[in-house]
PDB file of all heavy atoms in Angstrom:
ATOM      1  N   GLN A  25     192.080 208.467 -76.446  1.00  0.00           N
ATOM      2  CA  GLN A  25     191.926 208.742 -77.873  1.00  0.00           C
ATOM      3  C   GLN A  25     190.965 207.754 -78.545  1.00  0.00           C
ATOM      4  O   GLN A  25     190.445 208.029 -79.623  1.00  0.00           O
ATOM      5  CB  GLN A  25     193.284 208.675 -78.570  1.00  0.00           C
ATOM      6  CG  GLN A  25     194.255 209.762 -78.149  1.00  0.00           C
ATOM      7  CD  GLN A  25     195.601 209.619 -78.836  1.00  0.00           C
ATOM      8  OE1 GLN A  25     195.693 209.128 -79.960  1.00  0.00           O
ATOM      9  NE2 GLN A  25     196.658 210.034 -78.163  1.00  0.00           N
ATOM     10  N   GLU A  26     190.767 206.615 -77.910  1.00  0.00           N
ATOM     11  CA  GLU A  26     189.856 205.579 -78.409  1.00  0.00           C
ATOM     12  C   GLU A  26     190.120 205.246 -79.881  1.00  0.00           C
ATOM     13  O   GLU A  26     189.219 205.267 -80.720  1.00  0.00           O
ATOM     14  CB  GLU A  26     188.399 206.004 -78.178  1.00  0.00           C
ATOM     15  CG  GLU A  26     188.075 206.148 -76.704  1.00  0.00           C
ATOM     16  CD  GLU A  26     186.605 206.353 -76.420  1.00  0.00           C
ATOM     17  OE1 GLU A  26     186.141 207.516 -76.479  1.00  0.00           O
ATOM     18  OE2 GLU A  26     185.911 205.357 -76.152  1.00  0.00           O
ATOM     19  N   THR A  27     191.364 204.927 -80.171  1.00  0.00           N
ATOM     20  CA  THR A  27     191.750 204.568 -81.538  1.00  0.00           C
ATOM     21  C   THR A  27     191.311 203.149 -81.908  1.00  0.00           C
ATOM     22  O   THR A  27     191.263 202.803 -83.082  1.00  0.00           O
ATOM     23  CB  THR A  27     193.277 204.635 -81.691  1.00  0.00           C
ATOM     24  OG1 THR A  27     193.870 203.650 -80.827  1.00  0.00           O
ATOM     25  CG2 THR A  27     193.808 206.008 -81.321  1.00  0.00           C
ATOM     26  N   GLY A  28     191.040 202.339 -80.884  1.00  0.00           N
ATOM     27  CA  GLY A  28     190.732 200.931 -81.137  1.00  0.00           C
ATOM     28  C   GLY A  28     191.975 200.063 -81.114  1.00  0.00           C
ATOM     29  O   GLY A  28     191.885 198.833 -81.066  1.00  0.00           O
ATOM     30  N   ASN A  29     193.151 200.702 -81.173  1.00  0.00           N
ATOM     31  CA  ASN A  29     194.399 199.945 -81.088  1.00  0.00           C
ATOM     32  C   ASN A  29     194.704 199.574 -79.645  1.00  0.00           C
ATOM     33  O   ASN A  29     194.229 200.211 -78.712  1.00  0.00           O
ATOM     34  CB  ASN A  29     195.572 200.773 -81.632  1.00  0.00           C
ATOM     35  CG  ASN A  29     195.478 201.016 -83.122  1.00  0.00           C
ATOM     36  OD1 ASN A  29     194.987 200.174 -83.867  1.00  0.00           O
ATOM     37  ND2 ASN A  29     195.948 202.167 -83.570  1.00  0.00           N
ATOM     38  N   PHE A  30     195.519 198.557 -79.461  1.00  0.00           N
ATOM     39  CA  PHE A  30     196.061 198.250 -78.155  1.00  0.00           C
ATOM     40  C   PHE A  30     197.330 199.072 -77.971  1.00  0.00           C
ATOM     41  O   PHE A  30     197.789 199.756 -78.897  1.00  0.00           O
ATOM     42  CB  PHE A  30     196.351 196.757 -78.028  1.00  0.00           C
ATOM     43  CG  PHE A  30     195.117 195.882 -78.131  1.00  0.00           C
ATOM     44  CD1 PHE A  30     195.232 194.536 -78.457  1.00  0.00           C
ATOM     45  CD2 PHE A  30     193.846 196.391 -77.903  1.00  0.00           C
ATOM     46  CE1 PHE A  30     194.113 193.718 -78.551  1.00  0.00           C
ATOM     47  CE2 PHE A  30     192.720 195.589 -77.995  1.00  0.00           C
ATOM     48  CZ  PHE A  30     192.860 194.244 -78.322  1.00  0.00           C
ATOM     49  N   SER A  31     197.923 199.020 -76.788  1.00  0.00           N
ATOM     50  CA  SER A  31     199.114 199.827 -76.530  1.00  0.00           C
ATOM     51  C   SER A  31     199.949 199.196 -75.431  1.00  0.00           C
ATOM     52  O   SER A  31     199.496 198.300 -74.722  1.00  0.00           O
ATOM     53  CB  SER A  31     198.724 201.264 -76.135  1.00  0.00           C
ATOM     54  OG  SER A  31     197.830 201.257 -75.030  1.00  0.00           O
ATOM     55  N   MET A  32     201.172 199.672 -75.312  1.00  0.00           N
ATOM     56  CA  MET A  32     202.039 199.264 -74.215  1.00  0.00           C
ATOM     57  C   MET A  32     202.945 200.429 -73.858  1.00  0.00           C
ATOM     58  O   MET A  32     203.270 201.256 -74.709  1.00  0.00           O
ATOM     59  CB  MET A  32     202.894 198.057 -74.587  1.00  0.00           C
ATOM     60  CG  MET A  32     203.893 198.311 -75.705  1.00  0.00           C
ATOM     61  SD  MET A  32     205.306 197.185 -75.697  1.00  0.00           S
ATOM     62  CE  MET A  32     206.248 197.881 -74.337  1.00  0.00           C
ATOM     63  N   VAL A  33     203.301 200.505 -72.581  1.00  0.00           N
ATOM     64  CA  VAL A  33     204.305 201.481 -72.160  1.00  0.00           C
ATOM     65  C   VAL A  33     205.606 200.730 -71.958  1.00  0.00           C
ATOM     66  O   VAL A  33     205.675 199.786 -71.170  1.00  0.00           O
ATOM     67  CB  VAL A  33     203.899 202.193 -70.858  1.00  0.00           C
ATOM     68  CG1 VAL A  33     205.049 203.071 -70.362  1.00  0.00           C
ATOM     69  CG2 VAL A  33     202.662 203.047 -71.086  1.00  0.00           C
ATOM     70  N   GLY A  34     206.633 201.140 -72.705  1.00  0.00           N
ATOM     71  CA  GLY A  34     207.944 200.540 -72.566  1.00  0.00           C
ATOM     72  C   GLY A  34     208.875 201.450 -71.784  1.00  0.00           C
ATOM     73  O   GLY A  34     208.621 202.655 -71.650  1.00  0.00           O
ATOM     74  N   PHE A  35     209.931 200.871 -71.267  1.00  0.00           N
ATOM     75  CA  PHE A  35     210.929 201.616 -70.500  1.00  0.00           C
ATOM     76  C   PHE A  35     212.307 201.421 -71.120  1.00  0.00           C
ATOM     77  O   PHE A  35     212.556 200.410 -71.784  1.00  0.00           O
ATOM     78  CB  PHE A  35     210.951 201.126 -69.041  1.00  0.00           C
ATOM     79  CG  PHE A  35     209.733 201.511 -68.254  1.00  0.00           C
ATOM     80  CD1 PHE A  35     208.525 200.852 -68.448  1.00  0.00           C
ATOM     81  CD2 PHE A  35     209.779 202.542 -67.336  1.00  0.00           C
ATOM     82  CE1 PHE A  35     207.383 201.208 -67.735  1.00  0.00           C
ATOM     83  CE2 PHE A  35     208.647 202.917 -66.620  1.00  0.00           C
ATOM     84  CZ  PHE A  35     207.449 202.242 -66.820  1.00  0.00           C
ATOM     85  N   ARG A  36     213.193 202.365 -70.890  1.00  0.00           N
ATOM     86  CA  ARG A  36     214.568 202.212 -71.341  1.00  0.00           C
ATOM     87  C   ARG A  36     215.235 201.124 -70.496  1.00  0.00           C
ATOM     88  O   ARG A  36     215.130 201.134 -69.265  1.00  0.00           O
ATOM     89  CB  ARG A  36     215.335 203.517 -71.193  1.00  0.00           C
ATOM     90  CG  ARG A  36     214.726 204.704 -71.938  1.00  0.00           C
ATOM     91  CD  ARG A  36     214.698 204.497 -73.437  1.00  0.00           C
ATOM     92  NE  ARG A  36     214.135 205.679 -74.117  1.00  0.00           N
ATOM     93  CZ  ARG A  36     213.881 205.750 -75.413  1.00  0.00           C
ATOM     94  NH1 ARG A  36     214.124 204.705 -76.197  1.00  0.00           N
ATOM     95  NH2 ARG A  36     213.377 206.850 -75.940  1.00  0.00           N
ATOM     96  N   LEU A  37     215.920 200.224 -71.159  1.00  0.00           N
ATOM     97  CA  LEU A  37     216.554 199.105 -70.470  1.00  0.00           C
ATOM     98  C   LEU A  37     217.369 199.549 -69.266  1.00  0.00           C
ATOM     99  O   LEU A  37     217.254 198.972 -68.168  1.00  0.00           O
ATOM    100  CB  LEU A  37     217.450 198.335 -71.448  1.00  0.00           C
ATOM    101  CG  LEU A  37     218.297 197.204 -70.854  1.00  0.00           C
ATOM    102  CD1 LEU A  37     217.415 196.102 -70.283  1.00  0.00           C
ATOM    103  CD2 LEU A  37     219.242 196.640 -71.924  1.00  0.00           C
ATOM    104  N   VAL A  38     218.180 200.581 -69.440  1.00  0.00           N
ATOM    105  CA  VAL A  38     219.075 201.023 -68.375  1.00  0.00           C
ATOM    106  C   VAL A  38     218.311 201.461 -67.125  1.00  0.00           C
ATOM    107  O   VAL A  38     218.845 201.432 -66.015  1.00  0.00           O
ATOM    108  CB  VAL A  38     219.984 202.170 -68.884  1.00  0.00           C
ATOM    109  CG1 VAL A  38     219.178 203.446 -69.124  1.00  0.00           C
ATOM    110  CG2 VAL A  38     221.153 202.403 -67.934  1.00  0.00           C
ATOM    111  N   ASN A  39     217.038 201.826 -67.294  1.00  0.00           N
ATOM    112  CA  ASN A  39     216.220 202.276 -66.163  1.00  0.00           C
ATOM    113  C   ASN A  39     215.494 201.140 -65.459  1.00  0.00           C
ATOM    114  O   ASN A  39     214.665 201.389 -64.579  1.00  0.00           O
ATOM    115  CB  ASN A  39     215.188 203.311 -66.639  1.00  0.00           C
ATOM    116  CG  ASN A  39     215.828 204.628 -67.014  1.00  0.00           C
ATOM    117  OD1 ASN A  39     216.881 204.991 -66.494  1.00  0.00           O
ATOM    118  ND2 ASN A  39     215.192 205.365 -67.911  1.00  0.00           N
ATOM    119  N   THR A  40     215.783 199.906 -65.842  1.00  0.00           N
ATOM    120  CA  THR A  40     215.037 198.775 -65.271  1.00  0.00           C
ATOM    121  C   THR A  40     215.942 197.711 -64.643  1.00  0.00           C
ATOM    122  O   THR A  40     215.465 196.637 -64.283  1.00  0.00           O
ATOM    123  CB  THR A  40     214.181 198.080 -66.353  1.00  0.00           C
ATOM    124  OG1 THR A  40     215.040 197.347 -67.252  1.00  0.00           O
ATOM    125  CG2 THR A  40     213.342 199.068 -67.129  1.00  0.00           C
ATOM    126  N   LEU A  41     217.227 198.013 -64.522  1.00  0.00           N
ATOM    127  CA  LEU A  41     218.181 196.982 -64.101  1.00  0.00           C
ATOM    128  C   LEU A  41     218.512 197.068 -62.608  1.00  0.00           C
ATOM    129  O   LEU A  41     218.205 198.049 -61.942  1.00  0.00           O
ATOM    130  CB  LEU A  41     219.462 197.101 -64.935  1.00  0.00           C
ATOM    131  CG  LEU A  41     219.246 197.005 -66.448  1.00  0.00           C
ATOM    132  CD1 LEU A  41     220.566 197.231 -67.178  1.00  0.00           C
ATOM    133  CD2 LEU A  41     218.650 195.648 -66.831  1.00  0.00           C
ATOM    134  N   THR A  42     219.129 196.014 -62.086  1.00  0.00           N
ATOM    135  CA  THR A  42     219.529 195.964 -60.685  1.00  0.00           C
ATOM    136  C   THR A  42     220.996 195.569 -60.582  1.00  0.00           C
ATOM    137  O   THR A  42     221.510 194.836 -61.443  1.00  0.00           O
ATOM    138  CB  THR A  42     218.670 194.957 -59.894  1.00  0.00           C
ATOM    139  OG1 THR A  42     219.219 194.806 -58.572  1.00  0.00           O
ATOM    140  CG2 THR A  42     218.664 193.579 -60.554  1.00  0.00           C
ATOM    141  N   GLU A  43     221.637 196.031 -59.541  1.00  0.00           N
ATOM    142  CA  GLU A  43     223.037 195.671 -59.290  1.00  0.00           C
ATOM    143  C   GLU A  43     223.141 194.308 -58.600  1.00  0.00           C
ATOM    144  O   GLU A  43     224.235 193.789 -58.410  1.00  0.00           O
ATOM    145  CB  GLU A  43     223.690 196.726 -58.381  1.00  0.00           C
ATOM    146  CG  GLU A  43     223.766 198.120 -58.971  1.00  0.00           C
ATOM    147  CD  GLU A  43     224.814 198.245 -60.071  1.00  0.00           C
ATOM    148  OE1 GLU A  43     225.707 197.380 -60.125  1.00  0.00           O
ATOM    149  OE2 GLU A  43     224.724 199.192 -60.875  1.00  0.00           O
ATOM    150  N   ASN A  44     222.006 193.737 -58.235  1.00  0.00           N
ATOM    151  CA  ASN A  44     222.024 192.551 -57.372  1.00  0.00           C
ATOM    152  C   ASN A  44     221.851 191.228 -58.101  1.00  0.00           C
ATOM    153  O   ASN A  44     221.698 190.186 -57.469  1.00  0.00           O
ATOM    154  CB  ASN A  44     220.937 192.701 -56.303  1.00  0.00           C
ATOM    155  CG  ASN A  44     221.198 193.903 -55.413  1.00  0.00           C
ATOM    156  OD1 ASN A  44     222.288 194.054 -54.884  1.00  0.00           O
ATOM    157  ND2 ASN A  44     220.212 194.771 -55.287  1.00  0.00           N
ATOM    158  N   GLY A  45     221.867 191.238 -59.432  1.00  0.00           N
ATOM    159  CA  GLY A  45     221.747 189.998 -60.183  1.00  0.00           C
ATOM    160  C   GLY A  45     221.217 190.266 -61.579  1.00  0.00           C
ATOM    161  O   GLY A  45     221.043 191.418 -61.977  1.00  0.00           O
ATOM    162  N   THR A  46     220.965 189.214 -62.314  1.00  0.00           N
ATOM    163  CA  THR A  46     220.417 189.369 -63.657  1.00  0.00           C
ATOM    164  C   THR A  46     218.892 189.435 -63.618  1.00  0.00           C
ATOM    165  O   THR A  46     218.260 189.003 -62.650  1.00  0.00           O
ATOM    166  CB  THR A  46     220.855 188.205 -64.569  1.00  0.00           C
ATOM    167  OG1 THR A  46     220.360 186.966 -64.021  1.00  0.00           O
ATOM    168  CG2 THR A  46     222.361 188.144 -64.692  1.00  0.00           C
ATOM    169  N   VAL A  47     218.313 189.978 -64.673  1.00  0.00           N
ATOM    170  CA  VAL A  47     216.852 190.096 -64.775  1.00  0.00           C
ATOM    171  C   VAL A  47     216.395 189.614 -66.147  1.00  0.00           C
ATOM    172  O   VAL A  47     217.190 189.498 -67.084  1.00  0.00           O
ATOM    173  CB  VAL A  47     216.395 191.560 -64.566  1.00  0.00           C
ATOM    174  CG1 VAL A  47     216.745 192.046 -63.165  1.00  0.00           C
ATOM    175  CG2 VAL A  47     217.010 192.475 -65.614  1.00  0.00           C
ATOM    176  N   SER A  48     215.111 189.338 -66.245  1.00  0.00           N
ATOM    177  CA  SER A  48     214.493 189.006 -67.536  1.00  0.00           C
ATOM    178  C   SER A  48     213.732 190.224 -68.031  1.00  0.00           C
ATOM    179  O   SER A  48     213.017 190.862 -67.254  1.00  0.00           O
ATOM    180  CB  SER A  48     213.531 187.827 -67.382  1.00  0.00           C
ATOM    181  OG  SER A  48     214.204 186.669 -66.985  1.00  0.00           O
ATOM    182  N   ARG A  49     213.865 190.535 -69.321  1.00  0.00           N
ATOM    183  CA  ARG A  49     213.147 191.662 -69.895  1.00  0.00           C
ATOM    184  C   ARG A  49     212.668 191.300 -71.301  1.00  0.00           C
ATOM    185  O   ARG A  49     213.360 190.594 -72.046  1.00  0.00           O
ATOM    186  CB  ARG A  49     214.046 192.904 -69.985  1.00  0.00           C
ATOM    187  CG  ARG A  49     214.515 193.447 -68.634  1.00  0.00           C
ATOM    188  CD  ARG A  49     213.382 194.087 -67.872  1.00  0.00           C
ATOM    189  NE  ARG A  49     213.798 194.614 -66.573  1.00  0.00           N
ATOM    190  CZ  ARG A  49     213.570 194.018 -65.410  1.00  0.00           C
ATOM    191  NH1 ARG A  49     212.935 192.853 -65.393  1.00  0.00           N
ATOM    192  NH2 ARG A  49     213.941 194.572 -64.265  1.00  0.00           N
ATOM    193  N   GLY A  50     211.501 191.807 -71.663  1.00  0.00           N
ATOM    194  CA  GLY A  50     210.989 191.642 -73.005  1.00  0.00           C
ATOM    195  C   GLY A  50     211.522 192.759 -73.880  1.00  0.00           C
ATOM    196  O   GLY A  50     211.129 193.926 -73.722  1.00  0.00           O
ATOM    197  N   VAL A  51     212.428 192.455 -74.781  1.00  0.00           N
ATOM    198  CA  VAL A  51     213.060 193.469 -75.637  1.00  0.00           C
ATOM    199  C   VAL A  51     212.146 193.754 -76.827  1.00  0.00           C
ATOM    200  O   VAL A  51     211.790 192.844 -77.584  1.00  0.00           O
ATOM    201  CB  VAL A  51     214.442 192.995 -76.121  1.00  0.00           C
ATOM    202  CG1 VAL A  51     215.072 194.031 -77.041  1.00  0.00           C
ATOM    203  CG2 VAL A  51     215.352 192.726 -74.919  1.00  0.00           C
ATOM    204  N   CYS A  52     211.792 195.013 -77.000  1.00  0.00           N
ATOM    205  CA  CYS A  52     210.769 195.388 -77.984  1.00  0.00           C
ATOM    206  C   CYS A  52     211.375 195.915 -79.283  1.00  0.00           C
ATOM    207  O   CYS A  52     212.347 196.674 -79.270  1.00  0.00           O
ATOM    208  CB  CYS A  52     209.856 196.467 -77.395  1.00  0.00           C
ATOM    209  SG  CYS A  52     209.022 195.973 -75.885  1.00  0.00           S
ATOM    210  N   SER A  53     210.761 195.524 -80.373  1.00  0.00           N
ATOM    211  CA  SER A  53     211.069 196.103 -81.683  1.00  0.00           C
ATOM    212  C   SER A  53     209.810 196.797 -82.184  1.00  0.00           C
ATOM    213  O   SER A  53     208.696 196.300 -81.980  1.00  0.00           O
ATOM    214  CB  SER A  53     211.491 195.009 -82.668  1.00  0.00           C
ATOM    215  OG  SER A  53     212.661 194.353 -82.229  1.00  0.00           O
ATOM    216  N   ALA A  54     210.000 197.944 -82.828  1.00  0.00           N
ATOM    217  CA  ALA A  54     208.847 198.705 -83.307  1.00  0.00           C
ATOM    218  C   ALA A  54     209.115 199.251 -84.695  1.00  0.00           C
ATOM    219  O   ALA A  54     210.268 199.431 -85.112  1.00  0.00           O
ATOM    220  CB  ALA A  54     208.520 199.842 -82.353  1.00  0.00           C
ATOM    221  N   GLU A  55     208.039 199.513 -85.404  1.00  0.00           N
ATOM    222  CA  GLU A  55     208.123 200.106 -86.735  1.00  0.00           C
ATOM    223  C   GLU A  55     207.007 201.126 -86.861  1.00  0.00           C
ATOM    224  O   GLU A  55     205.835 200.799 -86.654  1.00  0.00           O
ATOM    225  CB  GLU A  55     207.961 199.002 -87.797  1.00  0.00           C
ATOM    226  CG  GLU A  55     208.391 199.420 -89.193  1.00  0.00           C
ATOM    227  CD  GLU A  55     208.392 198.230 -90.147  1.00  0.00           C
ATOM    228  OE1 GLU A  55     209.195 197.302 -89.948  1.00  0.00           O
ATOM    229  OE2 GLU A  55     207.561 198.255 -91.070  1.00  0.00           O
ATOM    230  N   GLY A  56     207.385 202.367 -87.136  1.00  0.00           N
ATOM    231  CA  GLY A  56     206.379 203.421 -87.248  1.00  0.00           C
ATOM    232  C   GLY A  56     205.628 203.673 -85.959  1.00  0.00           C
ATOM    233  O   GLY A  56     204.488 204.138 -85.978  1.00  0.00           O
ATOM    234  N   GLY A  57     206.281 203.368 -84.819  1.00  0.00           N
ATOM    235  CA  GLY A  57     205.648 203.595 -83.526  1.00  0.00           C
ATOM    236  C   GLY A  57     204.781 202.449 -83.047  1.00  0.00           C
ATOM    237  O   GLY A  57     204.161 202.547 -81.979  1.00  0.00           O
ATOM    238  N   TYR A  58     204.738 201.357 -83.829  1.00  0.00           N
ATOM    239  CA  TYR A  58     203.905 200.219 -83.443  1.00  0.00           C
ATOM    240  C   TYR A  58     204.768 198.976 -83.220  1.00  0.00           C
ATOM    241  O   TYR A  58     205.733 198.730 -83.948  1.00  0.00           O
ATOM    242  CB  TYR A  58     202.839 199.947 -84.508  1.00  0.00           C
ATOM    243  CG  TYR A  58     201.786 201.029 -84.553  1.00  0.00           C
ATOM    244  CD1 TYR A  58     201.936 202.122 -85.414  1.00  0.00           C
ATOM    245  CD2 TYR A  58     200.675 200.994 -83.719  1.00  0.00           C
ATOM    246  CE1 TYR A  58     200.995 203.142 -85.439  1.00  0.00           C
ATOM    247  CE2 TYR A  58     199.734 202.010 -83.736  1.00  0.00           C
ATOM    248  CZ  TYR A  58     199.896 203.070 -84.602  1.00  0.00           C
ATOM    249  OH  TYR A  58     198.964 204.088 -84.619  1.00  0.00           O
TER     250      TYR A  58
END
């Protein structure tokens, strides 16, 4: 789309976890999709 904005693809927390220990994740907050 070449908007000039940057972007990121985020994932649902539950889809990124493991049963084998704890993990570090960057928890995102957004407003108006940004």
Side-chain angles (χ1 to χ4, degrees):
Q25 294 178 30
E26 297 189 275
T27 64
N29 292 326
F30 297 160
S31 55
M32 64 156 284
V33 173
F35 290 75
R36 303 297 181 186
L37 174 63
V38 69
N39 289 332
T40 72
L41 303 176
T42 172
E43 297 287 341
N44 298 309
T46 61
V47 297
S48 297
R49 296 289 180 258
V51 178
C52 301
S53 298
E55 195 172 295
Y58 290 92

